[in-house]
Amino acid sequence: MNTLLDTEERNRLRWQCRRGLLELDLVLERFLEKHCNRLHGEHLSSFQTLLTYTDNEIWDLIRARTECRDVRFAEVVQWMRECLAPHFDVEDTAVGQTRKIPDLP
Amino acid sequence: MSLTDPVVHDIVLVGGGGAGIRAAIAAVEADPKLTVAMVSKVYPMRSHTVSAEGGAAGVVKTENDSFDLHAFDTIKGSDFISDQDAVEAFVKEAPRELLQLEHWGCPWSRDPDGRVATRTFGGMSTPRTLFAADKTGFHMLHALFQTSLKYDRIVRYDEQFVTSLIVHDGAVRGVTAIDLHSGKLLPIYGRAVIICTGGAGKVFPFTTNASIKTGDGMAMAYRAGVPLKDMEFVQYHPTGLPGTGILITEASRAEGGYLFNKEGDRFLSNYVPTKMELGPRDLLSRAIIEEMEAGRAFEGKHGQYVHLDLTHLGEKKINERLPFVRELATKYVGIDPVKQPIPIRPVVHYCMGGIDTDINGATPLRGLYAAGEVACVSINGANRLGSNSLTECLVFGAWAGKHAAQYVRQGGSDSSPAPESIARDEWARIERTYLQDHKNGERIATIRHEMQDAMEKGCGVYRNGETIQAARDKLLTLRERYGRISIDDRNRVFNTDLTAAIELDFMLDIALAMAEGALRRTESRGAHQRRDHKGRNDQQFLTHTIAHRTEDGPRLEYRPATITRWQPEERKY
Ligand SMILES: Cc1cc2nc3c(=O)[nH]c(=O)nc-3n(C[C@H](O)[C@H](O)[C@H](O)COP(=O)(O)OP(=O)(O)OC[C@H]3O[C@@H](n4cnc5c(N)ncnc54)[C@H](O)[C@@H]3O)c2cc1C
């Protein structure tokens, strides 16, 4: 396989993962970190096709508001969904605390 | 040689977001003969405009609303340094633009009686924000994009990264753009240029903005001698998710959400007692920071935070009215707001400042226009009201397009063609600045990180002379270190190292203009709050900050804000 082309393709994917939605930036960044180096064949072309969708279409697929009609994409969509993990550890000191709601003027 | 054959159009438009596409349509509608090059670094439908959920403001129901009321809310929100003539023109044009957008296919949400639905946004005294489900920006951009496709005179140049303006004989003649597909530099000539490249939130580490918002157009204009206006005013949104910056929409407070500190107090009663959670963004952000400083906030891995509590609204209402918020909180912080409060903290959201333009979008450089978040007309002054900016993209995008077309019809900037050497020189600059191989050179990511850190420390919600000065000094050092950057990737095609280097170069200029503006404005107004200069100083600072770029850093001057009918008063809610 032509290595130059590989770098180019990786760069192209990286650019096309820059989106208008911050939510997508975060998921796609993780996706690239995890999967970029082993994407090829069907998976690669599915991912390339998915990136041509609008931000909201991709986002709806990732958060399972819609399902992909094309079953060939299912596996890649599933990998994307797995990249939507919390970025936050709850160290919540307030669970169970009584809230005070003042009288409003 | 890494230049491709130039292309020529009547107008060159940089940016395919809400403001850009609106400008393109207005230009071709104004003159049936001219062609517009619409140049965008990402596909237009991937522009940041798609992320707006909340809505677009305009007086569409007159029972409890009027142009004067919308104008007053905007002016008061701006802490009295918006230009009142611009605000008056804006509010009058807004409903026409919102209706026009509906004709182009934007599905505004409806009330049960069939009328357009409206909601209240912070600082607006009546419900006047139209929305299209929870995807307002997406629907707006989609309607604009589909409409633009009807005009074959709007010629798209997608995935073309604009690096500079071509200026000759005191007028703008076009732009240079890296064609990301080939890696070559494409000169695009025109008789007028419109910049609609959006904001610059990425100058800060913690922001609601996606990674493409790097202020490119502001920096390009600034380098071409066009001043930047009011750069010190950067809006923090009070409710971002710690760790990511993802925005929890203001609708969560409009629907009845409460903010609590660690002690279980609904602390806003001490800050904005009449509006509480519906107070304007700057006041709420400040209140949260004060709670943090007083030790009344929670400590987490990503710093301090307070609670946005929706639990009392119940599962049914949350599912019906705020499904998106439930989803984001569950997915990004692992908390279900039906059962637990959501951790939130203030997050950088919007740049009030930008390229200095007049009401028509014209800049001081002949032939150059700007509109949208990149521009500063100014209707936003020291603090923008939520939902005014989508409408601003429409109103001022349309005016910039129309006036650029008029300028071209009257001859435009074409008395003598720009010499080809300008584009060649630009390529030489790119090679020299970004592609040189420095042994053990500076890393882009390191400088970016240090810049963002300096901006957060020095130009955050609260500032003081010392912290701003420290940030400014740091930025000057970073600017110097930037001269020794080294990037690994030498490929031509989609070289993301190169684009990251150029974006950082742009951001360093912008950050410095922000810090300099903040340092010299020795008062507190709207989003600019100085601990060492509390309160407004209308005697001295009822003015716009105008920053000119010089080799020694920004040179500032001040221009009085235009006051028509509303005299400054204390901004209380
Ligand atoms: C999360 C979020 C929610 C928001 N919600 C609302 C809301 O509810 N209501 C509201 O009124 N406002 C909202 N805003 C603000 C509003 O969305 C933006 O101010 C507005 O969409 C900006 O539009 P624009 O057309 O100016 O720029 P953008 O939509 O950012 O478009 C910029 C364009 O410029 C192009 N570009 C940039 N640099 C270059 C370059 N170097 N070369 C070529 N092309 C370039 C990009 O490709 C893009 O097409 C929100 C903002 C955020 C972050």
Side-chain angles (χ1 to χ4, degrees):
Chain A
M1 208 184 270
N2 180 334
T3 51
L4 184 64
L5 189 85
D6 285 347
T7 315
E8 282 184 11
E9 191 48 48
R10 232 198 341 265
N11 282 352
R12 185 192 305 272
L13 287 180
R14 191 169 294 144
W15 185 262
Q16 288 171 349
C17 286
R18 298 187 84 191
R19 315 296 295 207
L21 288 180
L22 173 62
E23 289 86 338
L24 272 192
D25 270 359
L26 295 167
V27 171
L28 294 176
E29 214 172 275
R30 273 190 180 168
F31 183 92
L32 285 182
E33 256 170 47
K34 267 175 92 172
H35 301 286
C36 194
N37 287 331
R38 52 196 187 91
L39 271 184
H40 61 272
E42 274 284 288
H43 290 137
L44 176 61
S45 68
S46 301
F47 187 56
Q48 284 164 330
T49 309
L50 284 165
L51 288 180
T52 65
Y53 290 15
T54 65
D55 280 35
N56 287 75
E57 284 165 340
I58 305 175
W59 180 229
D60 281 351
L61 278 174
I62 292 176
R63 59 197 173 133
R65 265 211 198 176
T66 54
E67 287 302 331
C68 217
R69 263 174 276 155
D70 195 328
V71 287
R72 283 173 309 162
F73 299 166
E75 208 169 350
V76 173
V77 169
Q78 185 49 39
W79 293 348
M80 285 164 130
R81 285 180 182 167
E82 284 159 13
C83 293
L84 184 60
H87 288 240
F88 185 79
D89 299 326
V90 194
E91 294 141 48
D92 198 338
T93 46
V95 175
Q97 190 154 7
T98 337
R99 294 172 294 130
K100 296 172 236 165
I101 303 183
D103 293 334
L104 294 183
Chain B
M1 188 57 197
S2 267
L3 243 63
T4 53
D5 289 340
V7 292
V8 182
H9 291 273
D10 295 301
I11 294 178
V12 183
L13 167 79
V14 191
I21 306 186
R22 184 66 191 91
I25 297 171
V28 292
E29 284 190 336
D31 186 331
K33 286 195 292 297
L34 55 76
T35 68
V36 176
M38 191 161 90
V39 193
S40 185
K41 67 178 178 182
V42 299
Y43 281 102
M45 280 305 294
R46 295 178 196 168
S47 302
H48 198 58
T49 295
V50 295
S51 66
E53 297 153 30
V59 179
V60 291
K61 293 175 177 166
T62 44
E63 308 91 89
N64 299 309
D65 205 359
S66 66
F67 292 145
D68 275 5
L69 197 55
H70 188 187
F72 178 68
D73 287 346
T74 303
I75 291 161
K76 181 176 172 189
S78 82
D79 220 348
F80 294 91
I81 59 156
S82 49
D83 286 324
Q84 297 186 5
D85 52 347
V87 174
E88 286 191 72
F90 162 73
V91 299
K92 284 186 188 139
E93 190 64 16
R96 259 200 294 274
E97 280 293 328
L98 296 170
L99 184 67
Q100 172 68 78
L101 208 63
E102 177 158 77
H103 292 159
W104 285 339
C106 180
W108 297 125
S109 294
R110 301 268 156 189
D111 283 334
D113 65 3
R115 295 200 323 161
V116 169
T118 47
R119 57 163 64 122
T120 310
F121 251 65
M124 301 276 190
S125 45
T126 184
R128 67 163 75 93
T129 298
L130 281 67
F131 53 97
D134 57 5
K135 293 180 181 165
T136 305
F138 171 77
H139 287 301
M140 283 178 63
L141 196 62
H142 188 67
L144 288 166
F145 184 65
Q146 291 300 322
T147 305
S148 75
L149 295 177
K150 289 193 220 142
Y151 296 95
D152 55 7
R153 288 174 296 118
I154 300 176
V155 183
R156 273 173 40 214
Y157 292 83
D158 295 338
E159 300 189 322
Q160 308 283 322
F161 187 105
V162 176
T163 63
S164 74
L165 300 178
I166 297 175
V167 180
H168 178 59
D169 261 357
V172 69
R173 307 302 172 95
V175 304
T176 56
I178 297 174
D179 170 12
L180 295 173
H181 299 257
S182 70
K184 292 185 173 176
L185 195 71
L186 169 70
I188 310 176
Y189 293 109
R191 291 185 287 161
V193 172
I194 310 174
I195 300 185
C196 300
T197 50
K202 278 290 165 187
V203 166
F204 290 82
F206 189 62
T207 170
T208 60
N209 288 192
S211 76
I212 48 179
K213 302 243 330 191
T214 47
D216 307 5
M218 289 179 196
M220 277 182 249
Y222 191 42
R223 288 169 183 194
V226 180
L228 298 179
K229 186 157 76 192
D230 293 343
M231 291 301 285
E232 60 271 35
F233 300 109
V234 177
Q235 179 168 76
Y236 275 75
H237 195 293
T239 56
L241 292 181
T244 57
I246 283 178
L247 179 77
I248 294 298
T249 169
E250 203 159 305
S252 56
R253 285 174 283 125
E255 295 296 345
Y258 295 144
L259 293 184
F260 286 103
N261 64 16
K262 187 170 77 173
E263 279 152 23
D265 283 324
R266 217 176 135 204
F267 56 90
L268 290 175
S269 57
N270 298 326
Y271 303 89
V272 270
T274 60
K275 290 257 180 189
M276 295 296 286
E277 279 79 4
L278 281 179
R281 292 174 180 176
D282 56 339
L283 299 188
L284 263 53
S285 295
R286 256 140 59 195
I288 296 170
I289 299 290
E290 300 239 347
E291 292 300 298
M292 290 175 170
E293 290 179 354
R296 293 192 291 268
F298 306 98
E299 280 288 348
K301 192 171 98 184
H302 301 282
Q304 293 183 301
Y305 62 89
V306 297
H307 274 160
L308 168 64
D309 194 347
L310 307 179
T311 53
H312 57 285
L313 301 179
E315 184 163 12
K316 186 163 174 287
K317 186 163 180 186
I318 291 175
N319 284 346
E320 271 170 23
R321 309 296 284 261
L322 301 165
F324 200 47
V325 170
R326 185 173 187 188
E327 192 170 21
L328 287 176
T330 314
K331 300 270 159 69
Y332 281 99
V333 286
I335 277 176
D336 181 356
V338 168
K339 301 188 188 117
Q340 265 180 295
I342 310 169
I344 55 97
R345 58 163 274 192
V347 53
V348 165
H349 187 52
Y350 183 88
C351 298
M352 267 71 76
I355 301 173
D356 178 23
T357 76
D358 65 14
I359 284 187
N360 302 328
T363 74
L365 175 62
R366 218 153 38 86
L368 184 69
Y369 295 77
E373 192 171 340
V374 74
C376 181
V377 179
S378 155
I379 62 161
N380 299 312
N383 175 57
R384 165 190 78 118
L385 290 193
S387 76
N388 263 351
S389 54
L390 285 175
T391 315
E392 175 178 6
C393 287
L394 297 173
V395 169
F396 293 100
W399 284 344
K402 197 170 111 195
H403 284 90
Q406 222 166 57
Y407 172 78
V408 167
R409 205 165 38 230
Q410 288 157 2
S413 309
D414 67 348
S415 46
S416 64
E420 278 173 26
S421 61
I422 295 182
R424 276 201 305 276
D425 290 349
E426 173 62 3
W427 182 252
R429 184 190 72 86
I430 289 171
E431 289 206 302
R432 198 176 54 241
T433 316
Y434 312 112
L435 297 172
Q436 274 208 23
D437 204 3
H438 289 110
K439 282 270 164 294
N440 301 322
E442 291 279 354
R443 313 300 300 169
I444 300 290
T446 311
I447 297 189
R448 184 173 49 226
H449 178 77
E450 290 184 33
M451 169 194 71
Q452 292 173 333
D453 187 53
M455 288 305 281
E456 179 164 72
K457 288 198 179 112
C459 297
V461 172
Y462 279 110
R463 306 142 175 211
N464 71 52
E466 246 168 69
T467 59
I468 308 170
Q469 183 77 49
R472 184 176 161 277
D473 292 348
K474 176 77 187 182
L475 291 169
L476 289 171
T477 326
L478 291 175
R479 173 44 86 200
E480 194 258 318
R481 279 169 53 192
Y482 186 91
R484 295 188 300 279
I485 55 156
S486 194
I487 63 176
D488 298 331
D489 192 351
R490 303 277 145 182
N491 288 289
R492 281 169 169 256
V493 176
F494 284 93
N495 186 334
T496 48
D497 275 10
L498 173 61
T499 49
I502 302 176
E503 287 174 343
L504 177 59
D505 194 8
F506 287 150
M507 288 194 287
L508 283 170
D509 272 6
I510 291 167
L512 204 51
M514 286 173 171
E516 191 71 32
L519 191 61
R520 303 278 168 232
R521 188 174 279 275
T522 45
E523 64 155 358
S524 291
R525 184 184 298 274
H528 171 70
Q529 292 295 316
R530 295 264 309 236
R531 282 248 153 85
D532 50 348
H533 292 279
K534 292 195 173 138
R536 253 171 29 200
N537 175 353
D538 286 346
Q539 289 289 325
Q540 199 184 341
F541 283 114
L542 213 52
T543 54
H544 298 294
T545 307
I546 308 290
H548 299 269
R549 188 171 188 270
T550 76
E551 283 309 309
D552 307 321
R555 177 175 60 77
L556 302 189
E557 53 189 37
Y558 293 90
R559 185 192 301 157
T562 307
I563 310 284
T564 55
R565 292 192 285 140
W566 294 275
Q567 288 309 311
E569 58 181 55
E570 194 190 349
R571 189 164 159 255
K572 269 198 356 218
Y573 290 95

